[in-house]
Amino acid sequence: MAFSTKTFALASAALVTVLGAFAVPALAQVPATPWELKPDMGYAYDRDGKTYSYKMGTSNAGELLKGAKKVPKGTLFFIGHNGQLYMRTGPYLEGDGKFKFGPDQ
């Protein structure tokens, strides 16, 4: 089974975003928590918008890396109101370190 690193990154983002959306209180901004992505796991965001995780092996790692791209530092992933996964590069924190796109207070 082979899938791209882009798919891996998108699926990771979708999974974390979806899980995070349920954990955030409506009016309170909670501190950011790091993702717990594991090197031996693959994460997918399929054409129907579903997310999956896969246990990966090493026998075809070279094939996995062909055409793969690094995700730039400073990239924000999120799911829009339409259920589509998006990514955005650029600032996403205010000068005081608060999340720029957090809930209105």
Side-chain angles (χ1 to χ4, degrees):
M1 168 182 57
F3 51 90
S4 72
T5 300
K6 183 176 179 181
T7 301
F8 172 88
L10 292 174
S12 301
L15 180 62
V16 172
T17 304
V18 169
L19 294 176
F22 292 111
V24 177
L27 297 175
Q29 184 169 353
V30 296
T33 55
W35 287 7
E36 302 229 10
L37 302 178
K38 299 179 181 171
D40 61 343
M41 295 295 294
Y43 304 89
Y45 179 68
D46 76 7
R47 66 180 122 193
D48 297 322
K50 295 178 183 173
T51 57
Y52 298 92
S53 60
Y54 300 95
K55 177 78 172 151
M56 293 184 1
T58 57
S59 63
N60 59 353
E63 185 178 343
L64 176 65
L65 291 171
K66 286 182 184 175
K69 297 177 184 170
K70 292 181 182 179
V71 175
K73 292 180 181 180
T75 301
L76 175 68
F77 298 94
F78 60 97
I79 296 182
H81 291 293
N82 60 359
Q84 177 65 47
L85 179 66
Y86 293 92
M87 62 181 276
R88 175 187 195 275
T89 55
Y92 53 86
L93 297 177
E94 299 286 357
D96 60 2
K98 288 186 180 179
F99 184 57
K100 191 179 212 177
F101 306 103
D104 298 330
Q105 294 183 2

